[in-house]
Amino acid sequence: MTVRTSPGTPASPPSATDYVEDVSPGSGALPPRARYAHSDARSLSLNGRWDFRLSPTADAEDDSFAAEGYEPEGWAGVDVPGHWVLQGHGSPVYTNHLYPFPVDPPHVPTENPTGDHLRRFDLPADWPAEGGSVLRFDGVESCARVWLNGTDLGEFKGSRLPHEFPVGQLLRPGGNVLAVRVHQWSAGSYLEDQDQWWLPGIFRDVTLLHRPPGGVLDFFVHASYDHRRGLGTLRVDSDVDGRVLVPGLDIDVETGTPVTLAVLPWTAETPRLYDGELVTAGERVPLSIGFRTVELRDGLITVNGTPLLFKGVNRHEWHPEKGRALDPETMLADVLLMKRHNINAVRTSHYPPHPAFLDLCDTHGLWVIDECDLETHGFTEQGWRDNPVDDPRWTLALLDRAERMVERDKNHPSVILWSLGNEAGTGRGLTAMAEWIRARDPSRLLHYEGDHDCRDTDVYSRMYADHAEVERIGRHEDGGGLRRRRLPLILCEYGHAMGNGPGGLADYQRLFTSHDRLQGGFVWEWIDHGIADERHGFAYGGDFGEELHDGNFVCDGLLFPDRTPSPGLVEYKKVVEPVRIDGGDSPSGERHEGSGARVGTVRVTNGYDFTGLSHLEFAWSYEVDGERVESGPLAVPALAPGESADVKLPPPPVDPGDAGASWTIRAALAEKTSWGPRGHVVARAQLVVKEPAPPSFTPSAVPVRGGRTVTLGPGTFDARTGALLSVGGVEVTGPRLDVWRAPTDNDNGAHWQPDARYGPLWRKLGLHRMRHRLDAVETGDDFLTVRTRVAPAARDVGLGTVYRWTSDGTRLRLTVSVAPEGHWALPLPRLGVRLGLPGSADRVTWLGGGPGEGYPDTGSASLHGRWESTVDAMQTPYVRPQENGARPGVRWAEIGGLRIEGDPDFWFTARRWTSEQLDAAEHRTELRPGDTVWVNLDHGQQGIGSQSCGPGALPRYQLRVAPAEFSFVFSAVTG
């Protein structure tokens, strides 16, 4: 560490660890170059088990461990790739943007966990003697110094970037010793303040590469496409002269020679790659060539002349046990899940990913915004004072990061935009990065969200703009400078997928498809960063004793940590599906799914950017009361992108009578692809033909008092309180009015939006502790009425609530009337009744929305049908427990021997704990099943929104307090 001295005090001699706080990118490493997965040159993976020693400071141990003959007695071991804090050595730390150390650039704390790593290896017997060798590190956090066989090779920073060292002269046939000292904190940490866990270690591959004489150094594949003529132009520039071979195109030319010929283009929808080779005197390197041209044309991002609509996600690298040390199987799983959920684009937030991930994007087809390993977000706490991005001392480090990203990834056709970084303010350093990238690679566009004047970028990028602002931008009514007004908008982050949600995705998508300037966005984010933990199931910020942390804000993904799709991902798949299937003319003349469907006709619209629909097969099914009656194929004409056609359906197979009826149309893969099997459903729509009639009911039974109870048809009530005790022998607790739900992460909202954080405001109002006052129990010739007032303690607002019970002799009808009292400034979390059933209740059957949960602004993916589940399976396992599991649009449900019919339909929830217990739990493991199954029958639910880091529920999805009346019919299940 550098020791600061007061004036007149002799300076201390240079320390052996001064490089840790040096703002330079390092020393000794080779210039960056293109990365390729393999060649015919030899390589040796040095992944595996390494000897490991952890020290509390950077200088607690000298560098004698790197000397020849050192024996690591008493050392532990770690797996490489890996993070030592996930292998029992220290603990992870999560912060969103606050630095977990004092902001005093470039200095870091003396308490600087430092891991010494040793790896012994022998060269294979046939390792070539001629030529040289290169030692490559693909990722080390955050600063490393390297020795081989006692020789100091140098040191480097830039955690998510490759670094190579020449080592050929140091290698011996056997007994090689590679020593690596890794520091958790360094000057580089100031440039890596991304929203993620701080996880030190050698977390990507370590490889020894033989470099034969005349072998490949750096090369750049230029493969453009002229969409007007259908011609591609290939030129491969190489530092070492050689030949370029592409057998499928009969190409055999010298490097640097352009060739123009007819080709099929590469797009994310049609990822056509041509296999080739770069052949030099000493090496053959495989090439995967995709022809495409990226341009800004008429104010829009285009590829091959066609404007794009991004249906994207932000992707941090994550595994619940391995952190950012991903294996090939996990990376492939991510890509396949994305493709199967209609995602077409990835922003590599907020650093270049493992290079193998980009290979998969090339192969299977995903647009990529490749983002530099740069974020200085913590400087917002001091108004960006001393921000490295605007400090010329750091410019070389910034340029080094930009160069290493571009040079490594420049040959990937999937990469169509370079991103300068994320949330790093603005300044001269960013401008220098942009100028260098433009000069090196003018074939791609530049992105950076923080550049709102678009001085250094080719796209106007925003985070979490609400729907109204997005629409203004789409209409070019947002103001700003002339350059910005001429650029397209993308939401590089929106739809914050934290906990239950995000809500409002369908509303955003309608805006994207209505205004050309809006070219889509990237949901934040792909996966919850929960860490597998015996105590909590999955741990988040604060669970490891961190003094400074941001809680479960690290769990904000469309996948749960174990890569199970969340309801949010299922919703997103539906919202962005590339085929739109609408009903016939509604009374207003508009066409939209699920309402006003003209019997016998649907409109199919091709929403792809580049492809027709020949790869899909369409089918219909006709359902009555949620059960399929008949199905068959549907002939859909070949539609070009953007085209629509009205398609005739067969006559309805049956007359539904009083039951509901609907058509369901599905578009599925006609043949298997690289990412999905034949029959995989890409798009589907359900079109209501006829709504079911409400339950018919004629009161006839007379209340009969018998001691402490009153009997009304199949119902037994407490005579004093009017509380229902049983229905046809099924014990029941309640029901009574319920307005509380365990606040979602989006209900709790972001701390910078205090006036709209409904969770805390609901709690302040006291909605979590409502009191029920009994005013009267009345009986008449055919009814029992209970009058109550439901209100929070210490407040002067309330809900006058009347429960009116009637019976037709075999069934029991409850009509609930609610009249607000006082001034209610807030919407309600929910409005309905809650009742309890014996804990033996398990199986649930319902007619309504499913199979998963749905809320007012998250129900696009819900299908009306007859569904079955268990109570436990109806729970959505969010990492932090919160309101979940409601099934929307339920007509009837059966559980524990009780049948419940709604008028109108309702949201249905069943769980083995109360909302209060769900609210109190911080982790899944804290939820303990009780002796009662609690059932909520909700007339209304507050929308979800994405206010954990974005806008709240739109006004039309808010449950504003108003007079309401709703009914349920209860009966015992027979048979």
Side-chain angles (χ1 to χ4, degrees):
M1 294 296 147
T2 300
V3 178
R4 293 184 170 184
T5 60
S6 58
T9 303
S12 300
S15 167
T17 58
D18 279 350
Y19 63 89
V20 173
E21 294 183 336
D22 191 335
V23 298
S24 73
S27 64
L30 292 167
R33 63 183 181 123
R35 194 261 191 190
Y36 46 93
H38 59 278
S39 75
D40 65 345
R42 293 297 306 276
S43 66
L44 177 66
S45 172
L46 298 180
N47 296 346
R49 195 71 174 170
W50 290 47
D51 292 314
F52 176 78
R53 176 181 65 188
L54 182 63
S55 302
T57 66
D59 56 0
E61 302 283 352
D62 60 27
D63 58 10
S64 60
F65 80 103
E68 294 192 74
Y70 182 88
E71 290 296 331
E73 296 181 2
W75 285 37
V78 293
D79 291 326
V80 171
H83 306 278
W84 70 67
V85 294
L86 297 183
Q87 301 183 58
H89 306 282
S91 298
V93 174
Y94 166 62
T95 61
N96 169 29
H97 76 277
L98 297 175
Y99 289 106
F101 47 79
V103 181
D104 182 24
H107 304 290
V108 295
T110 299
E111 299 83 8
N112 188 357
T114 295
D116 292 333
H117 300 68
L118 283 175
R119 176 72 155 85
R120 291 175 171 79
F121 65 94
D122 299 329
L123 293 179
D126 58 349
W127 190 266
E130 71 282 358
S133 292
V134 166
L135 177 65
R136 184 176 67 209
F137 295 88
D138 278 316
V140 182
E141 183 176 329
S142 74
C143 173
R145 188 173 182 179
V146 186
W147 297 262
L148 179 62
N149 293 331
T151 298
D152 187 353
L153 302 181
E155 76 285 338
F156 62 89
K157 307 177 189 75
S159 297
R160 270 68 71 171
L161 296 163
H163 295 82
E164 294 182 332
F165 295 90
V167 296
Q169 73 281 8
L170 300 175
L171 290 172
R172 55 183 68 136
N176 294 283
V177 179
L178 176 59
V180 185
R181 172 163 284 173
V182 180
H183 308 281
Q184 175 157 17
W185 310 123
S186 69
S189 300
Y190 285 98
L191 305 181
E192 296 172 3
D193 189 27
Q194 294 98 339
D195 174 11
Q196 61 183 347
W197 294 96
W198 298 88
L199 300 174
I202 306 172
F203 69 95
R204 287 187 185 159
D205 305 288
V206 182
T207 312
L208 184 66
L209 304 170
H210 178 245
R211 308 310 305 133
V216 172
L217 294 177
D218 190 23
F219 63 95
F220 199 160
V221 177
H222 303 274
S224 61
Y225 182 73
D226 184 339
H227 66 280
R228 298 179 184 85
R229 299 188 296 160
L231 300 179
T233 299
L234 174 67
R235 187 184 82 247
V236 179
D237 296 332
S238 173
D239 287 358
V240 176
D241 291 341
R243 300 196 70 79
V244 178
L245 311 177
V246 188
L249 295 174
D250 293 327
I251 293 176
D252 183 349
V253 298
E254 292 182 350
T255 53
T257 303
V259 180
T260 300
L261 71 173
V263 298
L264 296 174
W266 188 98
T267 75
E269 295 172 8
T270 56
R272 181 64 167 91
L273 293 173
Y274 291 91
D275 294 330
E277 277 191 314
L278 170 59
V279 182
T280 67
E283 190 173 11
R284 305 176 76 95
V285 173
L287 304 176
S288 292
I289 303 166
F291 291 88
R292 89 286 181 273
T293 294
V294 183
E295 294 178 292
L296 198 64
R297 296 168 58 89
D298 300 322
L300 297 175
I301 302 168
T302 66
V303 173
N304 305 334
T306 297
L308 303 182
L309 182 60
F310 292 114
K311 305 168 182 178
V313 292
N314 288 274
R315 176 186 177 270
H316 267 298
E317 295 180 303
W318 188 252
H319 187 282
E321 296 172 348
K322 302 175 184 176
R324 287 187 286 278
L326 296 193
D327 54 72
E329 294 75 19
T330 299
M331 288 184 272
L332 177 60
D334 279 349
V335 170
L336 296 184
L337 278 169
M338 290 176 188
K339 294 291 291 187
R340 291 170 184 172
H341 287 84
N342 295 329
I343 290 164
N344 72 357
V346 178
R347 175 180 175 228
T348 68
S349 53
H350 296 294
Y351 43 82
H354 191 292
F357 180 77
L358 297 180
D359 293 336
L360 294 168
C361 294
D362 294 342
T363 299
H364 300 285
L366 288 167
W367 308 116
V368 175
I369 298 180
D370 199 356
E371 193 149 273
C372 195
D373 190 10
L374 172 62
E375 181 166 339
T376 63
H377 199 173
F379 283 89
T380 58
E381 296 298 307
Q382 53 199 61
W384 295 106
R385 186 179 68 254
D386 299 327
N387 183 13
V389 161
D390 200 30
D391 184 337
R393 294 176 301 167
W394 295 80
T395 300
L396 285 178
L398 301 181
L399 286 171
D400 180 75
R401 289 169 184 251
E403 292 172 20
R404 290 188 182 279
M405 172 183 69
V406 171
E407 300 295 6
R408 191 196 77 167
D409 296 341
K410 60 182 178 282
N411 296 325
H412 288 283
S414 58
V415 176
I416 61 171
L417 284 92
W418 301 116
S419 180
L420 301 178
N422 183 68
E423 293 176 315
T426 57
R428 292 164 285 180
L430 282 175
T431 299
M433 294 169 69
E435 291 173 349
W436 184 92
I437 293 175
R438 282 201 170 97
R440 178 58 171 149
D441 180 26
S443 71
R444 292 178 173 94
L445 304 178
L446 277 185
H447 168 271
Y448 178 68
E449 182 272 337
D451 183 15
H452 287 179
D453 292 331
C454 301
R455 179 183 63 181
D456 297 322
T457 59
D458 300 308
V459 58
Y460 180 29
S461 179
R462 290 292 306 279
M463 292 180 180
Y464 307 110
D466 63 28
H467 299 79
E469 182 181 1
V470 170
E471 184 163 23
R472 288 196 300 272
I473 296 172
R475 296 179 184 275
H476 295 268
E477 297 172 355
D478 57 305
L482 179 62
R483 171 170 170 77
R484 193 183 87 182
R485 295 200 307 272
R486 290 176 174 173
L487 295 179
L489 174 84
I490 62 171
L491 292 181
C492 67
E493 295 178 21
Y494 84 111
H496 197 251
M498 186 175 178
N500 187 335
L505 291 178
D507 304 275
Y508 274 116
Q509 198 66 22
R510 279 191 285 271
L511 294 174
F512 297 158
T513 56
S514 298
H515 303 282
D516 290 342
R517 188 187 183 192
L518 308 180
Q519 292 200 257
F522 297 77
V523 167
W524 185 269
E525 65 159 306
W526 177 236
I527 188 169
D528 287 343
H529 298 199
I531 294 177
D533 185 274
E534 292 182 357
R535 303 164 299 163
H536 304 304
F538 292 108
Y540 49 77
D543 288 336
F544 299 97
E546 306 103 299
E547 294 179 342
L548 185 68
H549 65 85
D550 286 291
N552 69 313
F553 202 71
V554 77
C555 294
D556 45 13
L558 293 169
L559 295 180
F560 297 130
D562 62 1
R563 281 183 163 71
T564 299
S566 75
L569 181 57
V570 177
E571 173 82 353
Y572 195 38
K573 175 186 177 180
K574 170 61 183 168
V575 165
V576 300
E577 61 189 10
V579 180
R580 181 176 172 182
I581 305 166
D582 295 315
D585 291 332
S586 68
S588 66
E590 298 177 342
R591 295 174 180 269
H592 54 284
E593 179 183 336
S595 173
R598 185 173 62 213
V599 175
T601 304
V602 295
R603 171 160 287 188
V604 178
T605 301
N606 181 353
Y608 286 102
D609 291 329
F610 296 91
T611 62
L613 302 182
S614 61
H615 65 295
L616 301 176
E617 52 188 8
F618 289 77
W620 60 267
S621 61
Y622 187 79
E623 297 92 15
V624 174
D625 259 0
E627 293 191 334
R628 181 176 297 184
V629 174
E630 196 171 327
S631 62
L634 183 67
V636 174
L639 298 174
E643 287 188 343
S644 299
D646 288 325
V647 178
K648 189 173 180 60
L649 292 168
V654 297
D655 182 348
D658 290 336
S662 60
W663 296 97
T664 300
I665 314 299
R666 292 177 173 85
L669 292 178
E671 302 292 340
K672 72 174 183 178
T673 68
S674 68
W675 52 265
R678 178 180 181 180
H680 168 77
V681 176
V682 171
R684 52 110 185 113
Q686 193 169 61
L687 310 171
V688 176
V689 176
K690 179 180 175 297
E691 295 284 356
S696 61
F697 193 91
T698 302
S700 60
V702 176
V704 178
R705 183 177 293 271
R708 296 184 178 181
T709 62
V710 174
T711 301
L712 179 61
T716 302
F717 299 82
D718 184 297
R720 184 181 64 84
T721 65
L724 180 65
L725 302 176
S726 67
V727 177
V730 179
E731 294 183 8
V732 178
T733 303
R736 66 177 186 174
L737 193 75
D738 191 12
V739 299
W740 179 247
R741 74 184 187 193
T744 68
D745 291 316
N746 288 303
D747 288 338
N748 285 331
H751 65 83
W752 56 86
Q753 300 171 316
D755 295 336
R757 297 179 63 197
Y758 285 131
L761 292 173
W762 288 334
R763 203 179 299 277
K764 182 178 179 181
L765 181 59
L767 299 188
H768 62 306
R769 46 177 174 76
M770 299 291 277
R771 299 293 182 260
H772 297 251
R773 187 185 74 205
L774 178 63
D775 288 339
V777 177
E778 304 166 352
T779 57
D781 290 343
D782 61 357
F783 67 85
L784 183 152
T785 298
V786 181
R787 301 184 184 278
T788 69
R789 185 177 190 269
V790 183
R795 304 294 175 183
D796 62 353
V797 295
L799 299 170
T801 307
V802 178
Y803 308 91
R804 182 179 178 87
W805 296 94
T806 56
S807 175
D808 63 1
T810 59
R811 297 177 299 164
L812 197 62
R813 182 185 183 103
L814 167 64
T815 299
V816 182
S817 302
V818 180
E821 300 174 3
H823 175 65
W824 288 84
L826 299 175
L828 294 174
R830 67 174 357 123
L831 180 67
V833 296
R834 178 166 67 177
L835 58 89
L837 295 174
S840 58
D842 183 42
R843 300 298 305 180
V844 185
T845 305
W846 73 97
L847 176 64
E853 71 184 27
Y855 290 81
D857 55 351
T858 67
S860 299
S862 185
L863 275 176
H864 183 82
R866 190 182 297 241
W867 307 102
E868 292 187 5
S869 178
T870 64
V871 171
D872 291 343
M874 293 187 73
Q875 314 312 304
T876 303
Y878 294 112
V879 174
R880 188 193 72 81
Q882 56 198 272
E883 166 63 32
N884 72 88
R887 269 51 177 186
V890 174
R891 283 293 177 176
W892 58 259
E894 294 180 352
I895 177 174
L898 186 68
R899 180 180 175 90
I900 309 159
E901 301 172 77
D903 182 14
D905 55 23
F906 56 97
W907 276 272
F908 175 83
T909 309
R911 54 175 67 105
R912 298 188 182 278
W913 34 78
T914 65
S915 294
E916 291 75 16
Q917 290 167 329
L918 185 63
D919 183 17
E922 295 294 332
H923 299 87
R924 300 181 196 172
T925 51
E926 297 170 30
L927 292 171
R928 299 284 191 268
D931 296 330
T932 303
V933 171
W934 295 100
V935 175
N936 276 92
L937 313 174
D938 290 320
H939 176 64
Q941 275 270 359
Q942 167 79 356
I944 297 298
S946 63
Q947 201 163 9
S948 52
C949 193
L954 288 168
R956 63 178 169 274
Y957 303 125
Q958 295 179 7
L959 184 58
R960 290 293 169 181
V961 180
E965 184 171 282
F966 47 94
S967 297
F968 302 100
V969 175
F970 299 92
S971 59
V973 177
T974 58

